[in-house]
Amino acid sequence: MPLLFAISLSRRRCGSAVCEISSSKTDTDFLVRNEHNHVALLRCPSLAVLRQGMAETSALPHLCVAGESNAGKSSMINHLLRKNLAKASSVAGKTRSVDLMLVNQKLVLADLPGLPSRDHQVEKIWASTWEPLVMAYIRECKSLRAMLYAHDIRWKVSPLVRSFLRTVQEAGLPVVLVLTKDDKLALDEKDRLPVHERRRRLTDSIRRSLDFGGLHMHYSCESSLPESRRARRSLLRLIEDLVDEEGGREACMRMLDERAAKKRGRAVAPPAQ
């Protein structure tokens, strides 16, 4: 285990909540397992701690997860890992640092602070502290492959989200749009449209608002639903593919563009030689 993670673990044993860790009972080749994932968590509230964490995990692939507060970002991470590590809450600003999760000693999954949602609760601290920390991670972490951006499928796109994703993409980081809380569409009895049609319209509206031409996925954390289990498997397969892709961010970007084009029914021209 890297030094800083080990130090955090020793602090936890002394009563601190800096790091949480779970034991592994099985050993597979998958980055994220169905059960018994071994996860060490390092909270990085400052640039100094974040840089040390990045340095210690520079040999491992990184993926980050972002989204507005209450969009289901942390619930999605917990659902993927089958752990209760990310701070899921209805209270805005529960994640107050860049949380680096060392998963099975093979992958670093970074839970980023939530963007201010429409209630504007954490706008000041986002602008002054969290956004600079997030952008430093995106620009400085050379092993960061892509961002999974969680967006509640029922929400309109705010100007802040549009600006943030534009900045992230301009920094050269590929983005996968994960439309969360997909199961909630069936609970809206006021809308008489069939669920599949409502899903299509909402998805098209979000993509247009973001001017997003990349790959999107639908996600639900309701494990009792077959579509939720399928969504988890699909996202885990994508994570495996992003990590396996040789050539860093540029190769991941090409792969995601090809998959997005295939989903739209079009072919992508090969990169110029």
Side-chain angles (χ1 to χ4, degrees), residues 67-188:
E68 287 176 275
S69 297
N70 304 327
K73 168 178 65 74
S74 296
S75 295
M76 183 178 75
I77 292 173
N78 290 334
H79 188 254
L80 280 172
L81 298 179
R82 298 276 173 89
K83 298 288 180 186
N84 290 316
L85 291 174
K87 293 183 176 181
S89 172
S90 60
V91 179
K94 200 67 176 176
T95 305
R96 307 180 67 86
S97 55
V98 172
D99 292 350
L100 300 181
M101 301 180 187
L102 181 60
V103 182
N104 299 324
Q105 298 286 329
K106 297 179 179 180
L107 168 72
V108 177
L109 196 62
D111 182 12
L112 305 182
L115 280 74
S117 57
R118 41 228 75 228
D119 57 13
H120 310 292
Q121 287 186 44
V122 292
E123 277 188 348
K124 289 185 179 179
I125 192 169
W126 167 260
S128 65
T129 305
W130 296 344
E131 185 179 22
L133 193 65
V134 165
M135 293 312 302
Y137 172 67
I138 288 171
R139 292 186 174 114
E140 295 182 22
C141 186
K142 304 303 182 185
S143 55
L144 178 59
R145 298 298 187 90
M147 170 183 286
L148 307 178
Y149 186 83
H151 184 86
D152 189 323
I153 192 171
R154 302 166 298 173
W155 290 357
K156 293 183 179 180
V157 175
S158 70
L160 179 62
V161 168
R162 192 178 298 114
S163 174
F164 173 72
L165 286 180
R166 187 184 305 118
T167 302
V168 168
Q169 291 173 308
E170 287 173 353
L173 185 64
V175 174
V176 178
L177 179 62
V178 185
L179 299 173
T180 58
K181 305 192 181 182
D182 189 77
D183 57 298
K184 305 295 185 185
L185 294 178
L187 303 178
D188 187 357

Side-chain angles (χ1 to χ4, degrees), residues 225-241:
L225 299 175
E227 53 266 35
S228 173
R229 297 192 290 273
R230 285 195 296 269
R232 181 177 182 269
R233 289 194 296 269
S234 294
L235 189 50
L236 288 178
R237 282 196 297 268
L238 179 63
I239 289 172
E240 294 273 349
D241 292 343

Side-chain angles (χ1 to χ4, degrees), residues 248-268:
R249 293 185 184 185
E250 290 186 2
C252 289
M253 182 80 77
R254 286 195 298 271
M255 182 193 77
L256 292 173
D257 286 345
E258 288 169 1
R259 293 193 180 188
K262 184 177 180 180
K263 199 169 186 177
R264 296 191 302 266
R266 297 199 302 269
V268 172

